[in-house]
Amino acid sequence: MNAKINRFERILKTRVKVRDDEQILLSMERREEERLVDLIESLDAKRNRALDSFGEQGEELFTAQDIWFRRKTIDFIDDHISREGDALSGIRRSIEDSEARLLEKHREVKVMENYISFMVETRQEEEKKQEQEELDDIAGIRHSSAGGIGL
């Protein structure tokens, strides 16, 4: 029984390690999500400033080339926001997958811990039962020895 418990404890240790690795991966993904959100917010602010600048030309006269360059700058920022938004969507899907895997890993670890606890309790009960049987045998031997001497 001890060998079986030891084997399951090694399996549990491996599953705990896999769960911890999954937690680390999830943490990294969440940091990447935060980075992307900050980047998108920064790009959005930059886009708004470019739009404001484009709209505030007032009475200034700009050449068609100036207007084209300003519009291209805004388009470039929009494309960048779009690419980062796609990356953010991807990382969020990855986070959802990681959370589901992590939940499953937690369940696996809990099942293993419960099973090992059950095996340990069973072994302890068997040891107590065997010890009690040995004590009963010793008491029986003493009782029969004491009874035979007095006759």
Side-chain angles (χ1 to χ4, degrees):
M1 184 65 122
N2 284 336
K4 187 176 182 180
I5 291 172
N6 289 337
R7 186 173 65 240
F8 277 99
E9 284 176 340
R10 286 191 308 270
I11 293 169
L12 174 62
K13 194 180 295 184
T14 302
R15 290 196 178 170
V16 167
K17 173 76 170 108
V18 169
R19 180 193 64 191
D20 292 346
D21 291 345
E22 193 67 40
Q23 285 175 326
I24 291 169
L25 175 64
L26 180 59
S27 172
M28 290 171 31
E29 288 172 340
R30 285 197 172 135
R31 278 194 301 274
E32 177 65 10
E33 177 188 32
E34 288 174 20
R35 185 191 71 77
L36 288 171
V37 166
D38 290 344
L39 178 61
I40 290 171
E41 288 173 355
S42 169
L43 288 170
D44 196 39
K46 187 176 181 180
R47 180 183 183 276
N48 288 337
R49 284 192 305 272
L51 284 172
D52 290 344
S53 171
F54 188 76
E56 292 177 355
Q57 62 188 0
E59 294 181 13
E60 282 184 67
L61 294 176
F62 290 105
T63 66
Q65 186 176 9
D66 288 337
I67 294 171
W68 184 82
F69 278 125
R70 287 180 177 213
R71 184 66 216 165
K72 280 297 180 186
T73 300
I74 294 169
D75 289 345
F76 175 77
I77 294 170
D78 284 341
D79 289 344
H80 197 176
I81 290 172
S82 177
R83 284 191 310 274
E84 297 304 330
D86 291 344
L88 181 61
S89 295
I91 199 73
R92 285 184 173 159
R93 280 191 303 276
S94 182
I95 287 172
E96 288 175 9
D97 293 343
S98 292
E99 287 173 340
R101 284 191 311 271
L102 184 59
L103 181 61
E104 185 60 31
K105 301 299 179 201
H106 278 303
R107 285 183 186 141
E108 289 175 3
V109 167
K110 193 67 178 168
V111 166
M112 289 297 294
E113 288 172 341
N114 289 340
Y115 186 64
I116 290 171
S117 293
F118 172 76
M119 288 191 312
V120 167
E121 288 173 12
T122 302
R123 183 192 69 203
Q124 289 172 345
E125 289 172 6
E126 289 174 0
E127 288 173 352
K128 285 180 184 178
K129 182 179 174 185
Q130 185 171 355
E131 185 179 324
Q132 186 61 47
E133 287 175 358
E134 289 173 1
L135 290 174
D136 290 346
D137 287 345
I138 291 171
I141 291 171
R142 283 191 176 171
H143 180 67
S144 59
S145 302
I149 295 176
L151 290 177

